[in-house]
Amino acid sequence: MAALSLPGEPQVPPTAAVWVAVDDAAAVPGARRRAASLASTLGFPADVLGEVEIIASELATNLVKHGRGGDLVLRTTAAGTVQLLAIDSGPGTRDLAGLVRDGVSTTGTLGVGLGAVGRLADHLDLWSEVGRGAVVVAEVGPPPVAPRAPVGHLLRPLRGEIECGDAIAWRQVGATWLVAVADGLGHGPLAAEASGRAAHVLRTSPSTSPVELVGLMHRALAATRGAAVAVSRVDPDRGTVTHAAVGNVSGRLVDASGGTRALATQPGIVGHKLPRVRENAYPLDTARLLVLHSDGLTDKWSGSALPDVDVHGPDVCAAALVRDAGTRRDDAGVLTLRLPSPAPVPRRVPSP
């Protein structure tokens, strides 16, 4: 894709994820080798490469032993780390964090797998529920130079494709967050080009208006297949999220109790058939998570089934959504933004 001549300081785009199906023990060596190969692209020293291999091997082994098979997702981050996500739909447990302690096992083994992951990973997030499986996010790399962004995401290409036709993007301007999901029409490289252009606009444009950003995306996508796009601006100081969306993309606000509010979208195709775009403002109120996703995820997911956003990071929430709501018949793309806790309402002190 040719670079677009747009003003602004671009952020490093999220890298493509490598999905490794781990259905039996024979897949474990391959998962280990692919993790090491990915980590080597970052120039990690030999001892750190060895740690990445151990983590990949232990996560893949746990997928077989405890999760009845699942997926190991490998990717690099803009912070220069390697992230490994183990996702399964197995029996789950109420005490997954307890399994990080060496010697704890649910299958009669020595229980050193997750213990090794806990010791070696620079960041670890685990979530599980009985009957629903587990999500483990492990990260290896240099310590962050800035606080961890409250953004999670996951992209999964259509089965049989290498490139995902969906794209995500985010940008921070002061306390304000701009986030977007784009779903290129169709699948494969041409869909990826369209969605990638939309994501590039959000990362590099100086505009913070969802309506203006959709308009800029429309012009940038004119020579492509086009895309469905959702753009949100979260203003914590104002307590609002402003949203504009065109096409079959979804947005929801999720509160701590699991209640959700849908964000409006309009019919059309960004790049070809753009209606007069409207943006809507919604109060954040008690919302704790903003979710944007393509139609590669069904809308039939429940906020009450998500991990506790006050305990777990947004990447765990994104992985749980793709696992539970993603369809293998389409590209799947989801972005999750953890929202700040609402400010406490000051008590009125009666006058003496």
Side-chain angles (χ1 to χ4, degrees), residues 297-308:
L297 282 74
T298 73
D299 284 322
K300 296 179 181 179
W301 55 268
S302 169
S304 61
L306 288 175
D308 185 346

Side-chain angles (χ1 to χ4, degrees), residues 13 29 56 77 95 121 123 135 142 146 155 171-172 178 181 185 190 193 201 218 240-241 267 275 304 314 319 325 330:
T77 72
D95 187 27
H123 171 74
V135 175
L155 299 170
R171 179 162 56 95
Q172 185 177 15
L178 291 158
V181 166
L185 268 63
L190 295 179
E193 179 184 10
V201 167
H218 180 63
T240 60
V241 55
S304 61
D330 200 356

